[in-house]
Amino acid sequence: MVEVKEPNPEFTRKVIDAGGKTVNLCFQCGTCTGSCPSGRQTAFRVRKVVRRAQLGFEEDVLPSEDLWLCTTCYTCYERCPRGVEIVDIIMALRNMAVRKGYMAESHRKVAELISKTGHLVSLRDEDKALRKKLGLQDVPPTVFSSAQSLEEVKKIAALCGFDKLVATGGKS
Amino acid sequence: MSKYAFFLGCIMPLRYPGIESASREVFKSLGVELVDMQGASCCPAPGVMRSFDQTYWMAVAARNLAIAEKMGVDGVLTICNGCFDTLFEVAHKLNHDPDLRKKINKILKDATGMEYNGTVHVRHFVELLYRDIGVEAIRARAKSGKNLKAAVHYGCHFLKPSNIKKIDDAERPHVFDDIVEAAGMTSVMYKDKGMCCGAGGGVRARTPDVALKMTAENLKNMTAAGVDIIVDCCPFCHLQYDVGQVQLKEYKIPVLHLSQLLGLAFGLEREKLGLEVHQTKVNLPT
Ligand code: SF4
Ligand code: SF4
């Protein structure tokens, strides 16, 4: 039996509002997939991601691993003959996916580090020593040197609900 | 003399501080004054943070832009494609969309007391070298470069998306190659030059094996072209090639950030370039 899925324009609308305003311009030529460095190494086909977003197949697209295989290299975006802003669509979908709890633990950890320290890389003693040796300030003049700045960055995370998102990985 | 707010980001100051000291020295010797941005944070990274929450991504970037705006400088200078992408793209959005700026400023003001007024010009260091300093000035200054065959790696977010960045042709660029050649090197053509290093978009953090497969393909193509060195303009691509070669075990091509290459070509002290922390050993003819 062939199962025919009904399009869900409501979800498509959400994608459009979240930055994917060009999603309906896609005519499925596949130039994007043919240009994709990630698709060369994996079964990820970006054309299909765009199609699913266009038809509003939320359950197919949000939980999918494919969504996370894009390196945001913009090659497809540059070459698309219809001017579909593919990376913006992927970003909109990823933002929705994490709010539904589809966030890899490795990603949650990176997000946690930045929301707590303001940087996505830690400052170790060996880094300080090397900086000093090179004639640089051992602690960089960034949030690492200013408690007030760190507070500000944390407040932004709280105001955006980003602290909660990383604490729970989007799972309520 | 031009004066720029120097945006450090994360990977450069914390994992490859040699790129930072080389950049400071190189720009000083070219007459560009760099001023530290006190209290700046992660840009935040376009691949991971933008993927998670675009409002948070823009608000933190707007804080960095607001810090630069208060400094009364000619713009912000970035040494990393990722930092450039975030700061450029968020500045582009906020400078042109007053409603969005209002929305982001509300968060920014509540959290910091600052507002971003939409006036900051975000520069990528390669673009600044090409447009403001010029290839001839670099050629005149570069006396110590050994002629090596270089695989120039542009990375993705220096030129793309090209409709807003408007720096060079995204398919057939030349600005970075021209600078590398002015520094005395030969920029070699290799298969699929322009392909992503593999690390971006959160792929390295989430599926490192997939990232490494893309890196390996680039390394295979560079090796086939007989290159001596890889030259990048982004600490994240730099990390991916430097650490990736150790993980792959097959390749040993020295990786230099353009600031380090110019440091060598300008005859700066090698100790200032931090090459000894590279995991893929940098053995170059002296
Ligand atoms: S290149 Fe553009 S039009 Fe063609 S399939 Fe991809 S998104 Fe659709
Ligand atoms: S931006 Fe993403 S989907 Fe498009 S070509 Fe690059 S990796 Fe593939």
Side-chain angles (χ1 to χ4, degrees), chain B residues 80-212:
Chain B
C80 165
N81 287 1
C83 302
F84 177 62
D85 191 52
T86 286
L87 297 181
F88 185 95
E89 182 138 359
V90 174
H92 183 83
K93 286 180 200 292
L94 300 183
N95 297 1
H96 293 100
D97 182 344
D99 291 340
L100 183 64
R101 193 160 79 227
K102 217 163 144 199
K103 177 183 152 191
I104 298 298
N105 266 337
K106 172 143 192 358
I107 302 169
L108 188 61
K109 190 140 195 238
D110 282 357
T112 71
M114 288 188 288
E115 279 185 291
Y116 173 59
N117 299 313
T119 64
V120 172
H121 187 191
V122 181
R123 310 286 306 263
H124 185 287
F125 81 108
V126 176
E127 176 258 331
L128 186 132
L129 287 170
Y130 188 84
R131 284 182 173 148
D132 296 14
I133 308 290
V135 169
E136 287 319 315
I138 292 167
R139 202 187 314 280
R141 184 75 184 71
K143 293 290 174 225
S144 315
K146 295 277 169 295
N147 184 304
L148 298 170
K149 285 198 225 163
V152 172
H153 177 81
Y154 280 78
C156 304
H157 300 133
F158 166 33
L159 303 175
K160 297 179 279 186
S162 64
N163 58 342
I164 60 168
K165 289 188 176 144
K166 298 189 169 77
I167 296 169
D168 199 353
D169 186 324
E171 299 283 350
R172 285 178 205 81
H174 63 89
V175 295
F176 189 5
D177 304 87
D178 291 356
I179 294 170
V180 169
E181 298 229 319
M185 310 289 137
T186 302
S187 172
V188 175
M189 188 42 135
Y190 57 95
K191 182 173 176 243
D192 288 330
K193 184 175 166 185
M195 187 162 81
C196 173
C197 72
V203 173
R204 185 177 195 267
R206 187 179 164 120
T207 44
D209 52 320
V210 176
L212 203 55

Side-chain angles (χ1 to χ4, degrees), chain A residues 32 35-39 44 46 69-77 86-87 90:
Chain A
C32 48
S35 301
C36 179
S38 189
F44 164 45
V46 59
L69 287 172
C70 166
T71 66
T72 70
C73 78
Y74 281 96
T75 312
C76 56
Y77 182 110
I86 302 165
V87 178
I90 291 175

Side-chain angles (χ1 to χ4, degrees), chain A residues 25-33 47 50 76 79-84 86:
Chain A
L25 296 176
C26 171
F27 61 3
Q28 290 288 293
C29 69
T31 303
C32 48
T33 291
R47 175 186 61 81
V50 177
C76 56
R79 294 181 184 170
C80 172
R82 298 281 294 161
V84 178
I86 302 165

Side-chain angles (χ1 to χ4, degrees), chain A residues 117-119 121 123 131 137-150 153, chain B residues 6-10 12-14 20 24 36-42 63-64 67:
Chain A
T117 70
H119 280 290
V121 180
L123 174 64
R131 291 183 56 84
Q137 216 173 294
D138 58 349
V139 177
T142 64
V143 273
F144 282 138
S145 303
S146 158
Q148 193 208 326
S149 295
L150 181 58
V153 176
Chain B
F6 187 32
F7 187 77
L8 300 181
C10 302
M12 172 177 79
L14 300 167
E20 182 182 332
R24 288 182 188 273
D36 285 328
M37 292 174 62
Q38 301 297 335
S41 65
C42 176
R63 179 179 171 275
N64 287 324
I67 292 174

